[in-house]
Amino acid sequence: KKLNTLRPTKILNYSLPGDSIVDNLAKYQQAETHLKPDLYIMGIVNNDLIIGPEGAYPQSKKTYQEILDQCHKEPILFKYKENQGYEDQLLNLYWPSFLEENSNICFLKKIVPLFDKKSTLFFSFGYIPTLKQVVSSTSEIERKGHEILYKFNNIITDNSGYIVDPYITYPEYIRVSSKEGHPAKIMHQQYAQILFDEIATNKKWGFTK
């Protein structure tokens, strides 16, 4: 609605819960072949490296095999059922997927450069800390949570990727409730405003003259 106040705009939403970075690359490749969008917005979260060879889309298995041939080792496959609650998942699923000895992070390093840097905006749904904040974390959970997105950010920027951190503008994360940790409605409104401001004001995206 906001973008359409400036010029006719069509947004196609292909995001789905549970999609990995491999699935997102597979969707990107199909979109490049059949749609050629002007801009891709790629959301990133701390569990993006929870990947498996089964794939959610027809192209996913082919994409997985292509990346596997470059990384030479199967990534560790993780099971959600064995880990209950966010802390268990972070320690036993998300954190190991970002360790250099596991090939999951090799998958990420091979995949990020495949997105066209001129037309891809990475949008972080988690706060991106500085190295100082990682080091000064007050607990193991906080440190490992910080380090995941710190590494994610570095891999994207090292490959000339463009990343937007919404928490620079809105530093407070607001949950749905004490039991439901996903972002509340007001957070989604803030995300939308940040994306609108970025697209409408940054000439890099070609939306404004």
Side-chain angles (χ1 to χ4, degrees):
K1 288 180 179 179
K2 289 176 179 289
L3 291 173
N4 269 293
T5 63
L6 302 180
R7 69 180 238 199
T9 307
K10 186 175 184 179
I11 296 176
L12 304 174
N13 184 359
Y14 291 106
S15 58
L16 282 175
D19 281 356
S20 71
I21 192 73
V22 174
D23 294 320
N24 287 337
L25 176 61
K27 289 184 286 185
Y28 168 82
Q29 291 169 330
Q30 290 296 297
E32 275 287 270
T33 299
H34 301 290
L35 298 171
K36 289 287 185 183
D38 299 305
L39 172 65
Y40 294 91
I41 300 172
M42 192 68 57
I44 65 169
V45 292
N46 59 5
N47 64 357
D48 276 345
L49 300 195
I50 308 301
I51 55 181
E54 67 282 354
Y57 309 95
Q59 185 74 12
S60 295
K61 291 183 179 180
K62 180 175 181 291
T63 300
Y64 177 90
Q65 189 59 51
E66 289 172 350
I67 304 300
L68 177 61
D69 290 343
Q70 299 176 58
C71 291
H72 308 298
K73 185 173 73 171
E74 293 272 1
I76 296 176
L77 306 181
F78 301 94
K79 305 295 183 183
Y80 276 100
K81 292 180 181 179
E82 297 171 3
N83 296 277
Q84 301 297 321
Y86 174 74
E87 291 191 4
D88 281 348
Q89 290 175 356
L90 187 142
L91 292 174
N92 300 319
L93 300 176
Y94 313 157
W95 168 249
S97 72
F98 277 84
L99 295 177
E100 294 289 343
E101 65 257 32
N102 297 325
S103 66
N104 300 64
I105 200 163
C106 174
F107 270 65
L108 179 62
K109 291 177 178 178
K110 297 295 183 183
I111 286 173
V112 168
L114 298 178
F115 294 103
D116 184 355
K117 63 184 180 182
K118 294 180 180 179
S119 61
T120 303
L121 184 163
F122 291 92
F123 188 87
S124 178
F125 286 97
Y127 171 73
I128 300 173
T130 63
L131 179 58
K132 182 178 179 180
Q133 289 171 320
V134 173
V135 173
S136 62
S137 299
T138 58
S139 68
E140 180 187 24
I141 290 291
E142 183 181 80
R143 180 181 65 80
K144 290 183 174 179
H146 277 170
E147 194 163 337
I148 287 172
L149 284 169
Y150 177 77
K151 285 185 176 181
F152 214 151
N153 176 65
N154 285 350
I155 290 169
I156 290 171
T157 54
D158 285 349
N159 288 280
S160 302
Y162 187 96
I163 188 166
V164 172
D165 178 3
Y167 300 98
I168 292 175
T169 306
Y170 296 98
E172 182 183 2
Y173 180 86
I174 303 172
R175 301 159 54 102
V176 172
S177 69
S178 59
K179 293 185 178 180
E180 172 51 74
H182 284 90
K185 180 179 179 181
I186 189 171
M187 290 300 301
H188 288 281
Q189 293 169 339
Q190 291 172 354
Y191 293 152
Q193 184 64 51
I194 291 165
L195 281 169
F196 171 78
D197 292 340
E198 172 65 29
I199 296 167
T201 61
N202 190 339
K203 293 183 179 180
K204 171 182 174 67
W205 309 119
F207 193 84
T208 54
K209 294 182 179 181

